[in-house]
Amino acid sequence: LVRGKNVLKKIPASKEVNDDDRFSFNEGFQSKLYKVKIGTISAQKETEPEKLETRNRVEEDRKPQIEAAIVRIMKARRVLDHNSIIAEVSRQLSTRFQPSTAMVKQRIESLIEREFIERDTQD
């Protein structure tokens, strides 16, 4: 909005946005500014099943990242106790997301099952 004029025209003119609304460029718009930022319309609210599906998809996408961090750490350190692995994984991934301890434990078990890493026989 600049001086009471809008960059976009909406038909019908209302605050709510519906699927059948139309937008067009306002030819009469003028501004002495060099830049005009046009904000986007926020997406519709997700329903509860969609939220659950999104969360599950995000968790599935994070699994390889957690596993990769574990493998990198174990390649560098060779031998490390369980709590140190979890702490190091959390530290490495903190710039992207904060993994839960349970998720890291699951990924460690998965890597052990697939024989990427193994438990120390003396522990």
Side-chain angles (χ1 to χ4, degrees):
L1 296 172
V2 177
R3 292 191 190 142
K5 294 185 179 180
N6 292 330
V7 177
L8 294 176
K9 292 181 185 177
K10 179 179 170 292
I11 301 170
S14 67
K15 289 192 176 193
E16 287 77 32
V17 178
N18 299 318
D19 291 337
D20 57 339
D21 289 354
R22 294 181 306 177
F23 291 89
S24 61
F25 180 72
N26 182 358
E27 298 287 337
F29 177 81
Q30 292 181 356
S31 174
K32 293 182 181 180
L33 299 174
Y34 291 105
K35 285 189 205 177
V36 175
K37 292 186 180 182
I38 300 174
T40 57
I41 297 173
S42 62
Q44 300 293 328
K45 297 280 185 188
E46 278 186 317
T47 61
E48 208 53 45
E50 288 172 338
K51 285 181 183 178
L52 186 61
E53 182 183 336
T54 302
R55 267 190 230 117
N56 290 339
R57 207 170 328 121
V58 167
E59 284 182 12
E60 287 298 315
D61 291 345
R62 288 179 174 175
K63 285 180 182 180
Q65 293 179 28
I66 295 170
E67 288 179 355
I70 294 167
V71 170
R72 275 194 308 269
I73 292 164
M74 293 309 295
K75 272 186 154 182
R77 306 276 173 83
R78 295 288 179 201
V79 177
L80 209 57
D81 66 287
H82 189 73
N83 291 334
S84 299
I85 295 172
I86 292 173
E88 186 66 24
V89 168
S90 295
R91 190 187 63 72
Q92 276 194 14
L93 296 175
S94 65
T95 57
R96 295 187 184 119
F97 63 95
Q98 191 61 46
S100 68
T101 304
M103 180 64 93
V104 176
K105 286 181 180 181
Q106 287 175 354
R107 297 296 91 216
I108 290 171
E109 289 299 321
S110 174
L111 288 169
I112 291 171
E113 287 173 10
R114 293 183 288 159
E115 297 180 357
F116 279 88
I117 59 176
E118 63 183 20
R119 292 187 193 277
D120 191 1
T121 55
Q122 295 175 359
D123 281 345

